[in-house]
Amino acid sequence: MAKRIIVIGSGAAGMTAASAARKQSADAEITLFTEDEHIAYSPCAIPYVIEGKIPDFESIVMHTPQFYKEKRNIEVRTMTKVTSLDVDKKTLTTSDGQAHTFDSIVLATGGTVFMPPVEGVKLKGVLPVRSISDGKAIRSMMADTRSAVIAGAGVIGLEMALALKHAGKQVTVVEMFPQVIPRIMDKDMADLLQEHIASLGVEFVMSAPITAIKGKERVEAVVAGGKEYPCQMVIMATGVRANLELPNMIGLDVGALGAVRVSATLQPYRKGRLVKDVYLAGDVIQCESALAPGPTMSQLGSSAVRQGDVAGTNAAGGYATYPGVASAWVSHLGDVQAAGTGLSKGLAEYYGIRTVEGIGKGLTKARYYPGGKKIVVKVLADAATHRLIGAQIVSGEDATGRINWLTAAMLKGVSAEEFGNAFENAYCPPTSMVKDVVNVAVEDLLTKL
Ligand SMILES: Cc1cc2nc3c(=O)[nH]c(=O)nc-3n(C[C@H](O)[C@H](O)[C@H](O)COP(=O)(O)OP(=O)(O)OC[C@H]3O[C@@H](n4cnc5c(N)ncnc54)[C@H](O)[C@@H]3O)c2cc1C
């Protein structure tokens, strides 16, 4: 009899898991349930629709349920919440009252935006940003919004701030920490970025946790750091928490970071024992860091896709493992690209690792070639082992290739000395200086080790 596989969730992790299961097994019966109306889209594109660079939300939807049925023989049921789950009896029920059985299951239930428990958080105009429905709600309120407050200066907060600024709104970013991108970027690099975004007209209020949101029906002001900031819209970019509704229902072990603990095969544990035929992927899990001895939350679309592949393959009877992650990221913010990989100084300290850092400053093209943009690269090494464990870039262009280059080295456990002596880079005047700024940063690091 064909294996019955159920996938819950239509985000990057769930859609990939269903497709990977199909690749692994031609005859499995694959059904995907999602409470969303839309499937197979990248939330990463939401800021660009808000800004108007992408004309509408329909454009960011890659495939329809019909596509999955016709091309991959996967049954996708939208607007169907899984309301109860029993992984011992291998049964579940959905919001339409139907019961279903399965042989294996993938939980790709993602995350939800953390809404700080402050007065006024339920007022009209206080909006999370996570899904197309959230994006549509934001866009429908933009017409009568002059000023918006963005709560949280992480990457998503900054992307939303610039999107609304480009759409003609007055924008204030309110952040409880003294720097932007507080968890994964060091302050010196984050300050360069903040300076650039501020130069585009976005206001910043730093070290100021939001204490209240004021208004009668709709939001009228945000209170932070003892001051009021008038606004008609508040975008909550206050971090993502793993969606633990179903994992808690079936008693899965939750790790120190508040997400489901999984093995390398992406199977969960219950009271310390591996649970058979159940796999998880995406923002709902914590995984192992490739650069520190401990768990990490990747919370990236790129990681969700790779995890979905592993979970779907295993659910269909194959064997795949998910290695430790560096969580390389990149964002395009105004005229600047910011990127990072591995550990920031703060994260390294959290794991008890002492770091040494090198900085390189220069241009993205040869000095004499027209149009070169400023680039700053920072690399971090473990002071004890000299292993490269983190890097950050703020650059006018081409941050992605450089951060991927550094990520590949870090994932292979390369030391600063090895990188300096043995790592090549391609060169021509329109694409880099003959000694790329990445190498300049590593040379600076070597002088300090
Ligand atoms: C604005 C924004 C910009 C971003 N930019 C980037 C970027 O540039 N690069 C990057 O790598 N990452 C980016 N991310 C992060 C990335 O989008 C997420 O890490 C990724 O989408 C997580 O995918 P997921 O499948 O784990 O979860 P989700 O996309 O949250 O999907 C979870 C799914 O589970 C479903 N679900 C949950 N519970 C149930 C239930 N009981 N029954 C049925 N269905 C259920 C939901 O309906 C949903 O379909 C961004 C995120 C946002 C919001």
Side-chain angles (χ1 to χ4, degrees):
M1 202 172 98
K3 192 166 187 165
R4 290 157 307 165
I5 302 168
I6 286 184
V7 177
I8 309 176
S10 61
M15 296 315 305
T16 309
S19 295
R22 173 57 70 226
K23 260 190 225 153
Q24 179 65 35
S25 164
D27 62 351
E29 223 178 75
I30 306 172
T31 309
L32 184 146
F33 294 109
T34 176
E35 54 184 336
D36 272 357
E37 181 186 349
H38 309 93
I39 66 158
Y41 66 88
S42 173
C44 318
I46 294 170
Y48 308 105
V49 182
I50 299 290
E51 178 177 344
K53 243 184 206 147
I54 300 173
D56 48 46
F57 286 105
E58 284 63 43
S59 307
I60 68 173
V61 176
M62 307 295 285
H63 297 304
T64 58
Q66 289 78 0
F67 169 89
Y68 280 93
K69 182 77 202 154
E70 284 162 19
K71 301 286 180 198
R72 299 191 185 161
N73 190 19
I74 295 168
E75 183 74 36
V76 176
R77 308 259 182 94
T78 57
M79 291 189 282
T80 309
K81 184 176 163 109
V82 174
T83 48
S84 75
L85 174 62
D86 186 327
V87 288
D88 301 313
K89 292 190 180 134
K90 298 192 170 176
T91 57
L92 60 77
T93 48
T94 44
S95 47
D96 52 11
Q98 289 194 17
H100 304 265
T101 54
F102 55 85
D103 296 306
S104 64
I105 191 162
V106 178
L107 269 64
T109 50
T112 47
V113 176
F114 169 69
M115 302 293 268
V118 295
E119 171 200 331
V121 77
K122 297 226 163 95
L123 282 169
K124 189 169 169 214
V126 180
L127 301 160
V129 52
R130 179 77 192 170
S131 62
I132 284 191
S133 310
D134 296 336
K136 285 185 172 170
I138 293 168
R139 217 166 58 168
S140 75
M141 296 198 94
M142 280 170 66
D144 51 4
T145 295
R146 271 174 295 105
S147 306
V149 164
I150 312 293
V155 175
I156 292 173
L158 297 180
E159 288 180 355
M160 287 302 295
L162 282 165
L164 288 167
K165 186 72 207 168
H166 288 149
K169 310 300 168 193
Q170 193 189 319
V171 179
T172 306
V173 176
V174 175
E175 167 59 55
M176 63 190 276
F177 289 105
Q179 66 162 90
V180 301
I181 315 192
R183 206 169 48 88
I184 51 176
M185 214 168 200
D186 295 345
K187 188 163 187 319
D188 52 344
M189 299 297 279
D191 285 351
L192 297 175
L193 200 57
Q194 184 181 338
E195 222 169 86
H196 172 67
I197 297 170
S199 78
L200 301 174
V202 172
E203 310 236 334
F204 284 91
V205 181
M206 305 307 287
S207 307
I210 290 182
T211 47
I213 301 171
K214 296 264 170 87
K216 287 188 190 79
E217 273 177 32
R218 181 165 171 171
V219 55
E220 290 167 22
V222 160
V223 185
K227 281 195 185 160
E228 275 196 22
Y229 300 90
C231 60
Q232 297 78 45
M233 183 191 281
V234 182
I235 305 289
M236 286 294 180
T238 29
V240 172
R241 301 285 185 269
N243 180 357
L244 295 178
E245 201 179 327
L246 289 177
N248 282 342
M249 190 183 286
I250 55 175
L252 300 186
D253 292 354
V254 171
L257 303 178
V260 180
R261 241 187 92 217
V262 288
S263 66
T265 49
L266 301 187
Q267 285 174 268
Y269 298 87
R270 202 165 42 184
K271 294 190 178 150
R273 298 188 68 156
L274 217 58
V275 184
K276 207 166 166 274
D277 298 324
V278 181
Y279 301 88
L280 289 96
D283 284 3
V284 69
I285 61 167
Q286 62 176 44
C287 45
E288 289 303 306
S289 166
L291 299 151
T296 184
M297 299 278 288
S298 204
Q299 296 190 326
L300 289 167
S302 45
S303 303
V305 164
R306 292 177 53 233
Q307 292 163 358
D309 245 327
V310 171
T313 301
N314 290 341
Y319 181 78
T321 54
Y322 187 71
V325 282
S327 297
W329 61 273
V330 63
S331 179
H332 195 103
L333 294 157
D335 303 319
V336 153
Q337 294 177 2
T341 187
L343 309 178
S344 61
K345 214 172 162 183
L347 270 179
E349 272 164 19
Y350 167 83
Y351 289 107
I353 300 170
R354 196 165 63 80
T355 54
V356 179
E357 63 187 49
I359 296 273
K361 293 182 182 173
L363 294 172
T364 54
K365 303 183 194 302
R367 210 166 297 283
Y368 48 81
Y369 195 89
K373 310 257 171 73
K374 279 190 191 164
I375 172 167
V376 181
V377 177
K378 180 179 199 174
V379 284
L380 296 166
D382 179 329
T385 62
H386 295 194
R387 190 175 163 215
L388 292 177
I389 55 166
Q392 295 151 43
I393 299 178
V394 176
S395 171
E397 60 186 355
D398 296 341
T400 306
R402 289 178 168 97
I403 212 71
N404 287 345
W405 170 22
L406 282 158
T407 302
M410 284 178 205
L411 289 173
K412 286 290 164 199
V414 166
S415 69
E417 287 82 359
E418 282 171 312
F419 194 93
N421 294 336
F423 267 63
E424 290 184 23
N425 60 295
Y427 153 76
C428 76
T431 65
S432 73
M433 303 195 303
V434 66
K435 185 182 282 181
D436 192 86
V437 183
V438 167
N439 297 108
V440 177
V442 174
E443 277 185 6
D444 183 52
L445 173 65
L446 286 168
T447 65
K448 294 170 182 163
L449 277 166

